[in-house]
Amino acid sequence: MNGPSPNNPHPMAGFPQVCYIKNTVKNPNIVIGDYSYYDDPEDSENFERNVLYHFPFIGDKLVIGKFCALARGVKFIMNGANHKLSGISTYPFQIFGNGWEQVMPAPGELPYKGDTVIGNDVWIGYDVLVMPGVKIGDGAIVSSRSVVTSDVAPYTVVGGNPARQIKERFAPEVAARLQAIAWWDWPVEHITANLPFIVAGDIDLLERLRPHS
């Protein structure tokens, strides 16, 4: 068996609440890996509504890896939300024209945090808010209603506002081994054949099962 097709937007028959994101996004600056899903009973196919202030002239990207689970209400604030901070007023006069465009910020004057990058096998809980430029590592878990303002290490659990580390899922050296195994990059047939071991806890065995090119 090859497992469910990543090209089917709704992999669970009769259950449109869950949608593979990759098949629904049209913005070229949103890059989604296979099997990552968004769970929302209200229009799960419209995931892009949760990516806010994402203006094409800024050019920042939202990158989400493979096999990520995104709960209802997850939102990503992108760099277009930033206002100039170096002066007295942060009000964006320039966007209203009629003479106010004279204070259009020069290139580099607006804060820019870079791309927002979510790793593989990441679970992001209900109503989480991710701020611009944040990097969330492979295997991380973000608790419900957290506000993620800084990077999250692989295989850690974070929560709160601002999100802080609650615990390590695995010790750093074990997390590094899991990232090297990178089961999410295995051929889907190999993933299907070894699912009991992927969801279990024997890392030594998982290393032995890793396909070698």
Side-chain angles (χ1 to χ4, degrees), residues 75-104:
K75 290 183 173 60
F76 298 88
I77 301 283
M78 304 301 287
N79 285 281
N82 288 325
H83 292 203
K84 183 178 177 180
L85 302 177
S86 58
I88 294 170
S89 176
T90 61
Y91 191 84
F93 293 96
Q94 68 281 357
I95 69 174
F96 298 100
N98 294 295
W100 287 3
E101 69 277 3
Q102 64 180 299
V103 291
M104 181 71 69

Side-chain angles (χ1 to χ4, degrees), residues 17-83:
Q17 175 168 325
V18 173
C19 185
Y20 284 151
I21 308 169
K22 182 177 181 179
N23 301 301
T24 66
V25 296
K26 298 179 175 62
N27 188 331
N29 284 335
I30 301 177
V31 181
I32 311 291
D34 288 343
Y35 299 102
S36 288
Y37 72 80
Y38 178 52
D39 183 345
D40 192 336
E42 297 181 8
D43 193 11
S44 61
E45 291 193 12
N46 189 17
F47 170 78
E48 288 188 53
R49 74 184 185 278
N50 295 344
V51 185
L52 308 176
Y53 308 103
H54 197 198
F55 304 129
F57 60 86
I58 293 177
D60 53 342
K61 293 183 178 181
L62 170 62
V63 181
I64 298 176
K66 302 176 183 177
F67 293 95
C68 291
L70 276 60
R72 181 180 186 179
V74 170
K75 290 183 173 60
F76 298 88
I77 301 283
M78 304 301 287
N79 285 281
N82 288 325
H83 292 203

Side-chain angles (χ1 to χ4, degrees), residues 1-3 35 186-195:
M1 294 179 60
N2 295 336
Y35 299 102
W186 294 0
V188 66
E189 298 87 354
H190 197 64
I191 291 174
T192 301
N194 292 286
L195 275 182

